[in-house]
Amino acid sequence: MSDCIFCKIAAGEIPADTLYDDGEVLIFRDINPEAPVHLLVIPRRHIATLNDLSEVDAALIGRLYLAGQQVATELGVAESGYRTVINCNRDAGQIVFHIHMHLLAGRELGWPPG
Ligand code: DGP
């Protein structure tokens, strides 16, 4: 999608602090971190929201989690813990309509989220 900010990051048109890229899944630091570690895990392919997933995307979504697990381990936060969140649409606060998994770590995270 030509006007999608995360597609532009995936294409290298907008810079990002990228920690992982396997050609299909990309992980970069959130520009507005809410925790010492705040990463965004995205598929390179444009999918707007969780509601737009279909059966063919099942493995791709699994790969988001595996890539996140790998980078959390590399950053040394896998044992202390981390949270993954995918916001879907307005009530969840989704502002970028290219599906992305937040990975937050590095401090005790409150529950339930606001
Ligand atoms: P959400 O509310 O789930 O749609 O979260 C979108 C996140 O994307 C938000 O935490 C800020 C982050 N973000 C928005 N624009 C950029 C950008 O250009 N670069 C990076 N690294 N993060 C961005």
Side-chain angles (χ1 to χ4, degrees), residues 5-6 9 28-31 40 87 93-96 100 102:
I5 197 152
F6 287 177
I9 287 174
F28 53 91
R29 291 190 193 274
D30 193 292
I31 204 167
L40 298 173
N87 295 320
Q94 183 175 7
I95 55 168
V96 176
H100 51 281
H102 296 260

Side-chain angles (χ1 to χ4, degrees), residues 26-84:
L26 197 69
I27 302 182
F28 53 91
R29 291 190 193 274
D30 193 292
I31 204 167
N32 184 24
E34 300 287 353
V37 173
H38 187 170
L39 312 179
L40 298 173
V41 185
I42 71 164
R44 224 167 237 292
R45 181 157 57 83
H46 185 86
I47 301 170
T49 80
L50 276 177
N51 292 336
D52 299 299
L53 290 173
S54 62
E55 193 63 36
V56 295
D57 302 313
L60 177 62
I61 293 305
R63 281 197 278 281
L64 298 184
Y65 283 92
L66 289 172
Q69 176 210 68
Q70 181 181 316
V71 173
T73 301
E74 287 166 4
L75 294 178
V77 296
E79 289 306 314
S80 52
Y82 57 95
R83 178 172 297 158
T84 58

Side-chain angles (χ1 to χ4, degrees), residues 11-25:
E13 294 167 12
I14 290 178
D17 187 353
T18 301
L19 303 179
Y20 177 95
D21 183 359
D22 66 11
E24 194 169 20
V25 175

